[in-house]
Amino acid sequence: LEQSNNLKYKDAIILAKYYMKAGERDKSVNLSEKINNTHPFLKKEIENDLIKLHLRFEEYPKVIELIQQNLKNDTTDMNLEYMLARAYAGLNNPDEAIKHLLNAENLGFNYGFVYKNDSIFDGFRTSRKGWADIQEKMEGFITLKMESVNDNSK
């Protein structure tokens, strides 16, 4: 794939994700930006990949900048709110992190397993009332999911 000068969109995305997982930040960002220029109609998908890329490399101010640009057009994206919470947690700003985590939850984010295993929030989980409340809600989502799985297996 690297040798081709004319990558198809899906191949370019695969290569950008490979670079991201391999820790090749510059190659991944450059390729993602190139894809964004050549495929503007896929802007949302590409921007979400870029946000994840910057999260992966702990470039939290850039994550916040990109998400805030997206939220101008769509304030109902629970995943963007969750990624914004992660970015603020990474910047050690628990008040903003909990605000956006609650926004994500209010928009339908009920992935208790994701939240429970997301180590970026570890330092905040027991620090304030709001964090204990969200922890309890996420534990409830996990319980409901497990009950649903058990009911379906009968």
Side-chain angles (χ1 to χ4, degrees), residues 4-5 23 39 41 80 86 88 108 123 129 144:
S4 175
N5 289 329
H39 294 79
F41 53 93
L80 286 179
R86 293 190 81 240
Y88 280 113
K129 172 99 172 89
L144 286 173

Side-chain angles (χ1 to χ4, degrees), residues 50-110:
L50 271 173
I51 291 166
K52 291 174 192 170
L53 172 73
H54 290 292
L55 269 174
R56 161 100 164 71
F57 291 105
E58 300 177 358
E59 297 168 346
Y60 303 121
K62 184 67 175 176
V63 171
I64 292 167
E65 174 191 331
L66 290 170
I67 291 175
Q68 287 176 338
Q69 289 171 6
N70 276 293
L71 288 176
K72 287 178 187 175
N73 300 323
D74 181 7
T75 60
T76 63
D77 190 320
M78 67 181 183
N79 293 317
L80 286 179
E81 287 288 347
Y82 185 78
M83 289 189 283
L84 198 50
R86 293 190 81 240
Y88 280 113
L91 291 172
N92 199 26
N93 187 336
D95 293 332
E96 282 297 308
I98 190 69
K99 176 179 129 185
H100 292 286
L101 196 55
L102 290 170
N103 286 349
E105 191 261 330
N106 288 334
L107 291 169
F109 186 87
N110 61 358

Side-chain angles (χ1 to χ4, degrees), residues 6 8 10-11 14 25 34 38 41 48 52 63 65 69 82 88 92 98 102 106 108 118 120 131-132 137-138 148 152:
N6 192 15
K8 293 184 176 156
K10 287 186 180 193
D11 292 335
I14 290 168
R25 181 220 176 269
K34 193 182 296 184
T38 59
F41 53 93
N48 281 346
K52 291 174 192 170
V63 171
E65 174 191 331
Q69 289 171 6
Y82 185 78
Y88 280 113
N92 199 26
I98 190 69
L102 290 170
N106 288 334
D118 196 338
I120 201 158
W131 286 94
K137 285 180 183 178
M138 293 298 159
S148 172
N152 289 337

Side-chain angles (χ1 to χ4, degrees), residues 1-8 15:
L1 289 175
E2 281 184 328
Q3 306 304 317
S4 175
N5 289 329
N6 192 15
L7 284 176
K8 293 184 176 156
L15 186 56

